[in-house]
Amino acid sequence: QAMLDELTINACAFVLNADWQSGQASSIRAGVRALPTQCRAVLIWHVDQPLVTVSALGDLIGAWQSAPDAVVAARFAGNIGPPVIFPARLFTALRELQGDRGGKRLINEDDLTRLIDMPAAAFDVDTKADLAKLDTNYT
């Protein structure tokens, strides 16, 4: 809650996940449950991917807008994953995720999945060493 008191972003709603210790799926469930009923899609982006640019997100959103029933995910360093847009038709599946797993299975199994090359999504900050790399190499 203390962090939320410091944040002021227009047109954003913050969702607190009281069950965060159970794994990443609980955060996805909490976020999807908080969406308005008329919501057509959700963009999931890990906060520890600081090199993802507004332009890259625009490419992701543009791909989704041209195929709004598709899952649109980033492709990076031989992986796929967030940032990712899931259409509303998958909200039930997202609300049923369990444990420390995200929506990768849904991305892999969906026939409509589109992938957008996004090399910057490969860098995430999980350790102090990663943070030091960010400070040294990207500032």
Side-chain angles (χ1 to χ4, degrees):
Q1 183 63 45
M3 187 179 293
L4 288 181
D5 293 340
E6 298 296 320
L7 295 172
T8 308
I9 301 174
N10 293 332
C12 284
F14 294 94
V15 178
L16 292 176
N17 176 17
D19 191 29
W20 63 271
Q21 292 175 334
S22 71
Q24 128 177 221
S26 67
S27 294
I28 294 170
R29 288 192 313 268
V32 173
R33 285 183 187 133
L35 294 172
T37 55
Q38 72 275 18
C39 189
R40 296 179 13 210
V42 62
L43 186 151
I44 297 175
W45 175 21
H46 291 175
V47 70
D48 68 349
Q49 292 175 298
L51 302 181
V52 173
T53 64
V54 170
S55 176
L57 292 175
D59 291 344
L60 198 78
I61 292 166
W64 172 77
Q65 287 174 326
S66 69
D69 284 332
V71 174
V72 183
R75 176 175 31 215
F76 51 90
N79 264 319
I80 59 168
V84 58
I85 298 175
F86 290 100
R89 67 183 176 78
L90 293 176
F91 287 1
T92 298
L94 290 168
R95 286 189 294 263
E96 293 173 353
L97 293 173
Q98 296 294 317
D100 198 26
R101 303 189 67 119
K104 193 169 199 168
R105 178 186 57 81
L106 298 175
I107 297 168
N108 286 328
E109 293 177 359
D110 196 86
D111 292 336
L112 300 178
T113 294
R114 294 177 151 200
L115 301 176
I116 302 297
D117 288 326
M118 196 178 299
F123 182 82
D124 63 354
V125 179
D126 293 327
T127 65
K128 287 183 181 181
D130 293 337
L131 187 58
K133 282 185 214 170
L134 180 66
D135 289 342
T136 303
N137 297 323
Y138 302 103
T139 56

